[in-house]
Amino acid sequence: NPINLTIYGILDRTLSVLNLGSLIRQPFWFRSMGGSVMNMVGESIVGDVNMWNGVVNSGIVSIQAGKYITPYYVLNIFAIPGMLLAFSILNTDKIEKRKHRLFFLLAIIASMFTNILVPVEIVLLLLCPVLFIFHLLYSGILFGLFHMMGVYLGYLTTNTNVIAAPCGTFLEWLTYFTNANYKMDATMVLIVGFISFVIYFVVTLVFFNFLASDIFN
């Protein structure tokens, strides 16, 4: 149900900011709440991440594994970089802008290759709660949207340390894009990602240029 996935996405990001991400990730990523599938030798595989690993290793692409991971590719590779790019050009002082240019460049690279969602979300929560709420709602919509579209890209790992899982990175997306079995899904992620990049960039600029006010005004 896309609505259920949307609610899941909002809860996932909210709990992650509160350092409680394992409460929702463990049951869905590695346990039966995330679904189950029977492998070729009759063993039951439970959990979305475990199912995805089984799917990739066996070459099967027909089941809905990866639905709890797919939006992270958009958020890490496109949405957060779009927001960071907008932050980088908001400063009208040319000297200050040059000073911070390298920082934002490194932050964008880190988002694409390592997943820095939680630190960025904490900054949003403290600096601009309105943008944080927008981000939560948009993240939830991505979960429901990809499920409706039938687009799934999971996370290949045997690590159950779900708090710091670097899922949804550019390098992993690239491996799927170059794989014939997953190229269509990776292409749809690219399209949705580009649109999300533009939306996050524009919303951030509009908010700080026209809607934001400081605590004294």
Side-chain angles (χ1 to χ4, degrees), residues 55-86:
V55 164
V56 173
N57 292 332
S58 63
I60 302 171
V61 293
S62 60
I63 65 173
Q64 297 177 356
K67 56 182 173 288
Y68 297 104
I69 302 295
T70 313
Y72 288 103
Y73 290 96
V74 171
L75 294 173
N76 292 329
I77 303 173
F78 302 99
I80 296 303
M83 180 176 284
L84 291 173
L85 181 62

Short mmCIF file of all heavy atoms in Angstrom, two decimals, residues 55-86:
data_model
loop_
_atom_site.label_atom_id
_atom_site.label_comp_id
_atom_site.label_asym_id
_atom_site.label_seq_id
_atom_site.Cartn_x
_atom_site.Cartn_y
_atom_site.Cartn_z
N VAL A 55 17.79 -11.90 -3.91
CA VAL A 55 17.35 -11.64 -5.28
C VAL A 55 18.54 -11.39 -6.20
O VAL A 55 18.65 -11.96 -7.29
CB VAL A 55 16.39 -10.43 -5.31
CG1 VAL A 55 16.24 -9.89 -6.73
CG2 VAL A 55 15.03 -10.81 -4.76
N VAL A 56 19.45 -10.51 -5.78
CA VAL A 56 20.60 -10.16 -6.61
C VAL A 56 21.51 -11.37 -6.81
O VAL A 56 21.99 -11.63 -7.92
CB VAL A 56 21.39 -9.00 -5.97
CG1 VAL A 56 22.68 -8.75 -6.73
CG2 VAL A 56 20.53 -7.74 -5.96
N ASN A 57 21.73 -12.12 -5.76
CA ASN A 57 22.63 -13.27 -5.86
C ASN A 57 22.07 -14.39 -6.74
O ASN A 57 22.83 -15.14 -7.35
CB ASN A 57 22.93 -13.83 -4.46
CG ASN A 57 23.76 -12.87 -3.63
OD1 ASN A 57 24.53 -12.08 -4.16
ND2 ASN A 57 23.59 -12.92 -2.31
N SER A 58 20.73 -14.49 -6.81
CA SER A 58 20.12 -15.55 -7.61
C SER A 58 19.72 -15.09 -9.01
O SER A 58 19.32 -15.90 -9.84
CB SER A 58 18.89 -16.11 -6.89
OG SER A 58 17.91 -15.10 -6.75
N GLY A 59 19.78 -13.77 -9.25
CA GLY A 59 19.43 -13.24 -10.56
C GLY A 59 17.94 -13.07 -10.77
O GLY A 59 17.49 -12.79 -11.88
N ILE A 60 17.12 -13.21 -9.71
CA ILE A 60 15.67 -13.02 -9.82
C ILE A 60 15.36 -11.54 -9.64
O ILE A 60 15.90 -10.89 -8.76
CB ILE A 60 14.94 -13.84 -8.75
CG1 ILE A 60 15.29 -15.32 -8.87
CG2 ILE A 60 13.43 -13.66 -8.85
CD1 ILE A 60 14.77 -16.17 -7.73
N VAL A 61 14.47 -11.01 -10.47
CA VAL A 61 14.15 -9.58 -10.38
C VAL A 61 12.64 -9.33 -10.31
O VAL A 61 12.19 -8.22 -10.52
CB VAL A 61 14.73 -8.81 -11.59
CG1 VAL A 61 16.23 -8.80 -11.56
CG2 VAL A 61 14.22 -9.39 -12.91
N SER A 62 11.85 -10.34 -10.02
CA SER A 62 10.40 -10.19 -10.12
C SER A 62 9.71 -9.82 -8.81
O SER A 62 8.56 -9.43 -8.82
CB SER A 62 9.79 -11.50 -10.66
OG SER A 62 10.10 -12.57 -9.80
N ILE A 63 10.37 -9.99 -7.63
CA ILE A 63 9.71 -9.71 -6.37
C ILE A 63 9.97 -8.26 -5.95
O ILE A 63 10.86 -7.59 -6.47
CB ILE A 63 10.17 -10.68 -5.27
CG1 ILE A 63 11.65 -10.47 -4.95
CG2 ILE A 63 9.92 -12.11 -5.67
CD1 ILE A 63 12.12 -11.27 -3.76
N GLN A 64 9.20 -7.79 -4.97
CA GLN A 64 9.25 -6.39 -4.57
C GLN A 64 10.26 -6.14 -3.45
O GLN A 64 9.98 -5.43 -2.49
CB GLN A 64 7.86 -5.93 -4.14
CG GLN A 64 6.82 -5.99 -5.25
CD GLN A 64 5.44 -5.60 -4.76
OE1 GLN A 64 5.22 -5.36 -3.58
NE2 GLN A 64 4.50 -5.54 -5.66
N ALA A 65 11.42 -6.70 -3.55
CA ALA A 65 12.47 -6.44 -2.56
C ALA A 65 13.13 -5.10 -2.88
O ALA A 65 13.29 -4.74 -4.04
CB ALA A 65 13.50 -7.56 -2.59
N GLY A 66 13.51 -4.37 -1.83
CA GLY A 66 14.18 -3.09 -2.01
C GLY A 66 13.29 -1.89 -1.82
O GLY A 66 13.76 -0.75 -1.91
N LYS A 67 12.01 -2.10 -1.52
CA LYS A 67 11.09 -0.96 -1.44
C LYS A 67 11.35 -0.04 -0.24
O LYS A 67 10.91 1.10 -0.23
CB LYS A 67 9.64 -1.43 -1.42
CG LYS A 67 9.26 -2.40 -0.33
CD LYS A 67 7.79 -2.82 -0.47
CE LYS A 67 7.43 -3.93 0.50
NZ LYS A 67 8.03 -5.21 0.10
N TYR A 68 12.06 -0.56 0.78
CA TYR A 68 12.38 0.27 1.94
C TYR A 68 13.72 0.98 1.79
O TYR A 68 14.15 1.68 2.72
CB TYR A 68 12.38 -0.58 3.21
CG TYR A 68 11.03 -1.19 3.53
CD1 TYR A 68 10.77 -2.53 3.28
CD2 TYR A 68 10.01 -0.40 4.04
CE1 TYR A 68 9.52 -3.08 3.55
CE2 TYR A 68 8.76 -0.94 4.32
CZ TYR A 68 8.52 -2.28 4.07
OH TYR A 68 7.29 -2.81 4.34
N ILE A 69 14.38 0.81 0.64
CA ILE A 69 15.70 1.39 0.41
C ILE A 69 15.70 2.39 -0.76
O ILE A 69 16.41 3.40 -0.71
CB ILE A 69 16.73 0.28 0.12
CG1 ILE A 69 16.79 -0.72 1.29
CG2 ILE A 69 18.11 0.87 -0.15
CD1 ILE A 69 17.29 -0.13 2.58
N THR A 70 14.90 2.12 -1.78
CA THR A 70 14.95 2.89 -3.04
C THR A 70 15.00 4.41 -2.85
O THR A 70 15.82 5.08 -3.49
CB THR A 70 13.77 2.51 -3.94
OG1 THR A 70 13.65 1.09 -3.98
CG2 THR A 70 13.96 3.06 -5.34
N PRO A 71 14.15 5.01 -2.01
CA PRO A 71 14.17 6.48 -1.89
C PRO A 71 15.49 7.06 -1.43
O PRO A 71 15.79 8.22 -1.70
CB PRO A 71 13.05 6.76 -0.87
CG PRO A 71 12.14 5.60 -0.97
CD PRO A 71 13.04 4.42 -1.23
N TYR A 72 16.31 6.25 -0.73
CA TYR A 72 17.59 6.78 -0.25
C TYR A 72 18.51 7.17 -1.41
O TYR A 72 19.34 8.07 -1.26
CB TYR A 72 18.27 5.75 0.65
CG TYR A 72 17.61 5.61 1.99
CD1 TYR A 72 16.80 4.52 2.27
CD2 TYR A 72 17.78 6.59 2.96
CE1 TYR A 72 16.17 4.40 3.50
CE2 TYR A 72 17.15 6.47 4.19
CZ TYR A 72 16.35 5.37 4.46
OH TYR A 72 15.73 5.26 5.67
N TYR A 73 18.40 6.50 -2.54
CA TYR A 73 19.21 6.87 -3.69
C TYR A 73 18.87 8.28 -4.15
O TYR A 73 19.76 9.07 -4.51
CB TYR A 73 19.00 5.86 -4.83
CG TYR A 73 19.58 4.50 -4.54
CD1 TYR A 73 18.80 3.47 -4.03
CD2 TYR A 73 20.94 4.25 -4.74
CE1 TYR A 73 19.33 2.23 -3.74
CE2 TYR A 73 21.49 3.01 -4.45
CZ TYR A 73 20.68 2.01 -3.95
OH TYR A 73 21.21 0.78 -3.65
N VAL A 74 17.60 8.62 -4.14
CA VAL A 74 17.19 9.97 -4.54
C VAL A 74 17.60 10.99 -3.49
O VAL A 74 18.15 12.05 -3.83
CB VAL A 74 15.65 10.01 -4.75
CG1 VAL A 74 15.19 11.44 -4.93
CG2 VAL A 74 15.26 9.17 -5.96
N LEU A 75 17.38 10.69 -2.22
CA LEU A 75 17.69 11.64 -1.17
C LEU A 75 19.19 11.93 -1.08
O LEU A 75 19.60 13.09 -0.97
CB LEU A 75 17.19 11.10 0.18
CG LEU A 75 15.67 10.98 0.32
CD1 LEU A 75 15.32 10.28 1.63
CD2 LEU A 75 15.01 12.35 0.25
N ASN A 76 20.01 10.89 -1.15
CA ASN A 76 21.46 11.06 -0.98
C ASN A 76 22.14 11.65 -2.21
O ASN A 76 23.04 12.49 -2.09
CB ASN A 76 22.12 9.72 -0.64
CG ASN A 76 21.72 9.21 0.72
OD1 ASN A 76 21.46 9.99 1.63
ND2 ASN A 76 21.65 7.90 0.86
N ILE A 77 21.74 11.18 -3.39
CA ILE A 77 22.46 11.55 -4.61
C ILE A 77 21.94 12.84 -5.22
O ILE A 77 22.69 13.59 -5.85
CB ILE A 77 22.37 10.41 -5.65
CG1 ILE A 77 22.93 9.11 -5.05
CG2 ILE A 77 23.13 10.75 -6.92
CD1 ILE A 77 22.73 7.89 -5.94
N PHE A 78 20.66 13.15 -4.99
CA PHE A 78 20.06 14.28 -5.69
C PHE A 78 19.44 15.33 -4.76
O PHE A 78 19.76 16.52 -4.86
CB PHE A 78 18.98 13.78 -6.66
CG PHE A 78 19.48 12.81 -7.68
CD1 PHE A 78 19.32 11.45 -7.52
CD2 PHE A 78 20.14 13.26 -8.83
CE1 PHE A 78 19.78 10.54 -8.45
CE2 PHE A 78 20.62 12.37 -9.78
CZ PHE A 78 20.44 11.00 -9.58
N ALA A 79 18.55 14.92 -3.86
CA ALA A 79 17.79 15.89 -3.07
C ALA A 79 18.66 16.70 -2.12
O ALA A 79 18.66 17.94 -2.16
CB ALA A 79 16.69 15.16 -2.29
N ILE A 80 19.42 16.02 -1.28
CA ILE A 80 20.29 16.73 -0.33
C ILE A 80 21.34 17.57 -1.05
O ILE A 80 21.59 18.72 -0.67
CB ILE A 80 20.92 15.74 0.67
CG1 ILE A 80 19.84 15.09 1.53
CG2 ILE A 80 21.94 16.47 1.55
CD1 ILE A 80 18.97 16.06 2.29
N PRO A 81 22.02 17.05 -2.10
CA PRO A 81 22.93 17.92 -2.85
C PRO A 81 22.24 19.15 -3.42
O PRO A 81 22.84 20.24 -3.46
CB PRO A 81 23.44 17.00 -3.97
CG PRO A 81 23.44 15.65 -3.35
CD PRO A 81 22.18 15.63 -2.51
N GLY A 82 20.99 19.02 -3.87
CA GLY A 82 20.26 20.18 -4.37
C GLY A 82 20.06 21.22 -3.28
O GLY A 82 20.22 22.43 -3.51
N MET A 83 19.72 20.76 -2.09
CA MET A 83 19.55 21.68 -0.96
C MET A 83 20.87 22.31 -0.55
O MET A 83 20.94 23.53 -0.30
CB MET A 83 18.93 20.92 0.23
CG MET A 83 18.71 21.75 1.47
SD MET A 83 17.87 20.82 2.78
CE MET A 83 16.19 20.83 2.15
N LEU A 84 21.95 21.52 -0.52
CA LEU A 84 23.26 22.05 -0.15
C LEU A 84 23.75 23.08 -1.18
O LEU A 84 24.38 24.09 -0.82
CB LEU A 84 24.27 20.91 -0.02
CG LEU A 84 24.05 19.96 1.16
CD1 LEU A 84 25.01 18.78 1.07
CD2 LEU A 84 24.23 20.70 2.48
N LEU A 85 23.48 22.81 -2.45
CA LEU A 85 23.87 23.78 -3.48
C LEU A 85 23.13 25.10 -3.28
O LEU A 85 23.73 26.18 -3.44
CB LEU A 85 23.56 23.20 -4.87
CG LEU A 85 23.93 24.09 -6.06
CD1 LEU A 85 25.43 24.36 -6.08
CD2 LEU A 85 23.48 23.46 -7.38
N ALA A 86 21.86 25.04 -2.93
CA ALA A 86 21.11 26.26 -2.66
C ALA A 86 21.68 27.00 -1.46
O ALA A 86 21.83 28.23 -1.49
CB ALA A 86 19.64 25.91 -2.43
#
